[in-house]
Structure formats: structure tokens, C-alpha cells
């Protein structure tokens, strides 16, 4: 029996292209793993009314980790329209498979490295090498939202907050409320993970990205938890930054940051900002990690206009496999992958269109595999 069981979910569009590329690299590595392909995405929504069939969830439960390509999703009405005729009107509702998987497996860490590889013409600023820990399960994306605003909810807000007075007469269907939910446990585990990562990888500094001067209660709780944890790591510098200032500093002096940790929404925004600084979607990989499972993906979507053309950049997906290798404890293999990626970028001979080249997705993967 193989040492690892890996679930492979290519998904839709270029998800399949980049997954083929990643497998070229993994095959060359000779990782002692059994790869099992699973179904996810738009095709299965249309045919089965479920973009994440139960058999796929079972497959993940039996696996050590998952490689995920990308999926197509569409607005509610379009999704309902594209459902197979025999499934119409039967109450099927589209949901995002990736959000569902994060919840189902409690994948509370969204790990987003952003590194400027030497010689990458798309890099905005040299020297960037930061790692973002984004909380993945609560905060502004907890999903506790109201529209129209129920009277009893408004009453409770009025009772407990003077600031609600200003909104007391707004008609229910003219006011929507999304709440930011922060728990001590939720923030503790993500901030702890960020510090542990810093310690393990010899990182010097952890920056908490928040806005506690305005979001006093949720931000305040987060800051208290972070300061408590920081005390346990005297060798790692700890600092706090407001999210708006952070957006500015990330553009101005990104090379000064090391490990960043943030709640869901702030983390989402700063990670997309950071990925653009280092070359864009073709280079941005993410790990979704919990205590018992990890799912690794490029952060781009299915780019339908390039589907099946093997034109897009596979580097984000290949760096996602590097994150998976780290997660599995195969750190040396992960380093080899990253080194090979860096060499191919620096050499500049085999490049996809986004980097100004004409190589195919698979050419880039082969070039990387050759250097392993
Ligand atoms: P997208 O990320 O699929 O593509 C946007 C554009 O970025 C592409 O047209 C292409 O020009 C460029 N691009 C993306 N990946 C690239 C790569 N590897 N190499 C070179 N260029 C690349 O975003 P879009 O067009 O907004 O969404 C398309 C579909 O993907 C939608 O259905 C959306 O819902 C879904 N999506 C899925 C995600 C996921 O699976 N995690 C994440 C984001 C979007
Ligand atoms: Mg995003």
C-alpha cells in the first residue's frame, strides 16, 4: 500500500489543464502515493444537482490530502437555469463546493504564500517573501446575514446598541445586515498556527492585520488573543497593523513583511493584493488546512475561455502541490519543487502567455519536472 492517499479533483475548465501539469511534476517526484480522481464542479451540478457529490466527500474522508483544480460557478438564477431539465423545479440549490469543504473538514487555515521569484517579469517589487494566514471559517464570512431585517432582530440590536438608533426607521426591505463573528477559539487557532509556522520556518516577524480602533469588539478580542500568544514566542517580533494601512504598506514596502495573520475578509483582500504583487493568478497557491485534512489549490478560477487549450500558467497549481508536500511532511520534496519552479522562472525560456511566452501549460510542467 502507498504511504499517502491523495484525492485529485481537477474540477472545471483550466482546472483540468493545470492538474495534468501538476501530475507531470508529481510523477517525476516519485512520491509514494496513490492518486484517486474525484468528481466536483459545474458538470455535476448540471447532471446531478450537486456540484460536490457524496462520493467525492467519501473519497476525501479516506484521503490524506486533496489537490483541487478550479471550478466554475455562476449567479443563482443562471445556475438554476442550467440544471438538467429532469431536475428542474425539484428544489436543488447551488452552493460553492470549496466553501462547503472548508466547513465540512473545518479547514480553518487559509495559507497564502506570496513570493517574488527572481526573474519573473510580472513581479511588481523584488524581495517579497511573505506568508498570509487567513482565518477561513468565521469573521465577516460567517454567513450570519439578514435581509429583509426581521423586526425581532432589529429590536435586539436597538436594545443593546445605541448606534442602531440611526437605523430604527429604515424599512425592513431597505436594510441588510451582515455580521462579523469572531470567537476566541477561532482567532486563537489561526494566530497560533501563524506563530508556529514562523517558528518552524525561521521567520522573524508576525503582523496581525486588523482594525480594532473601529471594530472595537471583534477587533479588540482578536488583539487580546494575539498579544497573549505573542508572549509565548519571545524570539519572534510581533506587530499590529490596521488593514487599510496594510493595503498601503503592502504596495509601498512589501519586502518588509514576513508572516501576516488576519480574519477572513481582511485576509481575503490582502492575499489577493499580495498575489498581484508577485505576478498574479498564475503564481498564487493556497492551502486550506485543518487539524485532520488539507486541500491545496491555485487561487485562480476555471477561466472558461482558456479551457482545454493548455495555454495557462500551471505554476500556481504546481506551487499548490509544494504546499501539499509540506503539509504531508515531505519538506525536502517540497523544496525541490520550489527550486525547480524558481529555476524555470529565472531561466525564462519556457513561459506561458501571461509571462510573455508561447509555451504550453504542459511544456512548463515538463521543464519543471526535468529539473527535479
Ligand atoms: P479566473 O481566475 O478563472 O480567470 C480570470 C482571468 O485570469 C482569466 O481569464 C485569465 O486571463 C487569467 N488567469 C487565470 N488563471 C490563470 C493562469 N493559471 N494562468 C494565466 N492566466 C490566468 O476568474 P474568473 O474569470 O472571474 O472566473 C471564472 C470562473 O471561475 C467563474 O465561474 C468563477 O466563479 C470561478 N472561480 C473559481 C474559483 C475556485 O475554483 N476556487 C476561484 C475564482 C473563480
Ligand atoms: Mg479571493
Amino acid at each position: 500500500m502507498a504511504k499517502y492517499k491523495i484525492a485529485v479533483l481537477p474540477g472545471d475548465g483550466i482546472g483540468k489543464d493545470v492538474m495534468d501539469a501538476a501530475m507531470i511534476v508529481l510523477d517525476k517526484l516519485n512520491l509514494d502515493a496513490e492518486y484517486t480522481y474525484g468528481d466536483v464542479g459545474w458538470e455535476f451540478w448540471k447532471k446531478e444537482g450537486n456540484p460536490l457529490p457524496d462520493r467525492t466527500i467519501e473519497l476525501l474522508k479516506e484521503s490524506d490530502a486533496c489537490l483541487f483544480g478550479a471550478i466554475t460557478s455562476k449567479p443563482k438564477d443562471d445556475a438554476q437555469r442550467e440544471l438538467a431539465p429532469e431536475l428542474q423545479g425539484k428544489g436543488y440549490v447551488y452552493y460553492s463546493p470549496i466553501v462547503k469543504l472548508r466547513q465540512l473538514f473545518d479547514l480553518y487555515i487559509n495559507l497564502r504564500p506570496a513570493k517574488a521569484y527572481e526573474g519573473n517579469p510580472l513581479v511588481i517589487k523584488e524581495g517579497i517573501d511573505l506568508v498570509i494566514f487567513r482565518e477561513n471559517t468565521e469573521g465577516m464570512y460567517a454567513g450570519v446575514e439578514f435581509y429583509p431585517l426581521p423586526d425581532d432582530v432589529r429590536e435586539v440590536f436597538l436594545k443593546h446598541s445605541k448606534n442602531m438608533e440611526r437605523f430604527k426607521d429604515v424599512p425592513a426591505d431597505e436594510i441588510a445586515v451582515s455580521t462579523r463573528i469572531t470567537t476566541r477559539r477561532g482567532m486563537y487557532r489561526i494566530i497560533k498556527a501563524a506563530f508556529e509556522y514562523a517558528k518552524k520556518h525561521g521567520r522573524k516577524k508576525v503582523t496581525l492585520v486588523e482594525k480594532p480602533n473601529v471594530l472595537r469588539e471583534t477587533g479588540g478580542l482578536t488583539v487580546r488573543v494575539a498579544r497573549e500568544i505573542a508572549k509565548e514566542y519571545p524570539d519572534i517580533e510581533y506587530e499590529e497593523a490596521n488593514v487599510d494601512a496594510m493595503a498601503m504598506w503592502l504596495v509601498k514596502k512589501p519586502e518588509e513583511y514576513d508572516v501576516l495573520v488576519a480574519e477572513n475578509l481582511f485576509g481575503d483582500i490582502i492575499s489577493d493584493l499580495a498575489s498581484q504583487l508577485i505576478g498574479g493568478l498564475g503564481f498564487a497557491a493556497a492551502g486550506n488546512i485543518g487539524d485532520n485534512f488539507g486541500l491545496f489549490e491555485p487561487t485562480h478560477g476555471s477561466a472558461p475561455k482558456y479551457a482545454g487549450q493548455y495555454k495557462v500558467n500551471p505554476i500556481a497549481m504546481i506551487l499548490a502541490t509544494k504546499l501539499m508536500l509540506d503539509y504531508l511532511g515531505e519538506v525536502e520534496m517540497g523544496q525541490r519543487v520550489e527550486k525547480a519552479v524558481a529555476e524555470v522562472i529565472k531561466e525564462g525560456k519556457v513561459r506561458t502567455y501571461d509571462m510573455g511566452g508561447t509555451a504550453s501549460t504542459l511544456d512548463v510542467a515538463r521543464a519543471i519536472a526535468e529539473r527535479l
Side-chain angles (χ1 to χ4, degrees), residues 96 98-104 106-110 112 132-146 177-183 187 189 210 215 218 243 262-273 288 297:
S96 157
I98 192 86
V99 173
K100 174 92 172 269
L101 286 169
R102 285 172 184 161
Q103 291 165 355
L104 214 57
D106 198 19
L107 305 175
Y108 60 90
I109 299 168
N110 193 258
R112 293 275 302 259
I132 298 169
F133 278 74
R134 162 187 166 196
E135 205 289 325
N136 225 0
T137 61
E138 51 179 51
M140 203 62 183
Y141 296 169
V144 183
E145 303 192 284
F146 307 94
V177 174
S178 301
T179 56
R180 180 163 102 146
I181 297 192
T182 300
T183 68
M187 289 323 292
R189 61 185 186 172
E210 246 307 322
L215 296 166
T218 45
V243 63
E263 64 93 49
N264 216 334
L265 167 67
F266 294 165
D268 192 13
I269 296 170
I270 59 168
S271 30
D272 274 14
L273 170 57
N288 296 271
E297 53 165 349

Side-chain angles (χ1 to χ4, degrees), residues 138-186:
E138 51 179 51
M140 203 62 183
Y141 296 169
V144 183
E145 303 192 284
F146 307 94
Y147 179 82
L149 184 62
D151 287 342
D152 51 349
V153 173
R154 189 186 326 231
E155 283 309 313
V156 172
F157 284 173
L158 275 167
K159 188 171 161 210
H160 295 282
S161 173
K162 276 210 286 297
N163 294 323
M164 192 66 194
E165 295 268 323
R166 286 191 292 135
F167 307 106
K168 75 178 187 330
D169 297 322
V170 182
D173 61 352
E174 289 182 20
I175 181 169
V177 174
S178 301
T179 56
R180 180 163 102 146
I181 297 192
T182 300
T183 68
R184 166 169 277 277
R185 171 178 176 267

Side-chain angles (χ1 to χ4, degrees), residues 275-291:
S275 62
Q276 208 53 44
L277 295 173
I278 56 97
L281 287 172
F283 300 86
N288 296 271
I289 303 171
D291 290 332

Side-chain angles (χ1 to χ4, degrees), residues 192-212:
K192 185 82 182 170
F195 272 95
E196 276 301 304
Y197 179 95
K199 185 174 154 189
K200 195 168 155 202
H201 294 86
R203 298 269 180 169
K204 306 262 173 305
K205 182 165 83 173
V206 173
T207 306
L208 174 72
V209 182
E210 246 307 322
K211 187 78 184 179

